[in-house]
Amino acid sequence: MDLLAQPAVRVFAFWYLLLVVKMLMLIFRTSAARMKTSTFATPEDYAAIGVAPPVDQSGPDEGIERLRRALQNDLENILPFFGVGLIYALSGPSLGMARFLFAGFAIARIVHTVTYLRGMQPHRSIAFIAGMVFLCWMLVLALWSVL
């Protein structure tokens, strides 16, 4: 059976892969920021480019840490979406509801990342809560379908 022949699975795959692209962009942006500022995570990273780690470092670079926290938040939220969303998509939901829930979650996560990187509260919290509402809604429907 070709799972991608199921419309809800195709919609899920699209939005999930879009979120993976967003996460990869954060990873590349974090690496670029580290290279630009010569701020690395470990002593061996400094050794690889032939310099010693700074001894008088006043703390982590806030820009890099903000990027890392945004990615960590994605990992904590998009990983559950993968499992919940896939089970929901396989449960044979209405295509309209699947589109609504998958797009709603993904858009909320994209808005969350943008507002996180720009330090925009309460917008960041609103986007986070919206994403959780969509995820929990899917979770309830997925659980209902397997009972």
Side-chain angles (χ1 to χ4, degrees):
M1 172 194 242
D2 181 14
L3 291 178
L4 287 177
Q6 297 179 39
V9 174
R10 289 182 68 82
V11 171
F12 167 73
F14 170 79
W15 286 107
Y16 179 73
L17 292 173
L18 192 67
L19 289 173
V20 170
V21 168
K22 180 185 76 70
M23 291 173 67
L24 288 172
M25 289 171 55
L26 275 175
I27 291 167
F28 295 141
R29 190 167 170 194
T30 303
S31 294
R34 285 188 181 285
M35 296 302 287
K36 181 179 180 182
T37 62
S38 296
T39 305
F40 302 107
T42 63
E44 60 267 21
D45 294 339
Y46 287 98
I49 62 165
V51 298
V55 291
D56 63 340
Q57 193 173 18
S58 61
D61 181 279
E62 178 53 29
I64 292 170
E65 288 305 304
R66 186 168 288 276
L67 286 162
R68 285 178 14 89
R69 289 190 305 264
L71 180 60
Q72 181 65 37
N73 194 279
D74 273 351
L75 293 171
E76 294 167 357
N77 289 272
I78 295 173
L79 179 61
F81 170 69
F82 178 75
V84 171
L86 183 59
I87 292 170
Y88 174 67
L90 292 171
S91 73
S94 82
L95 187 55
M97 181 60 84
R99 283 181 176 147
F100 172 71
L101 292 173
F102 295 148
F105 178 81
I107 291 167
R109 291 306 309 167
I110 292 166
V111 170
H112 179 270
T113 297
V114 170
T115 56
Y116 201 119
L117 295 179
R118 292 183 177 177
M120 298 171 62
Q121 277 291 20
H123 306 90
R124 185 181 93 209
S125 293
I126 293 167
F128 175 81
I129 292 167
M132 285 292 103
V133 168
F134 285 112
L135 183 61
C136 290
W137 194 345
M138 271 184 271
L139 178 61
V140 168
L141 293 173
L143 280 170
W144 188 261
S145 73
V146 299
L147 292 179

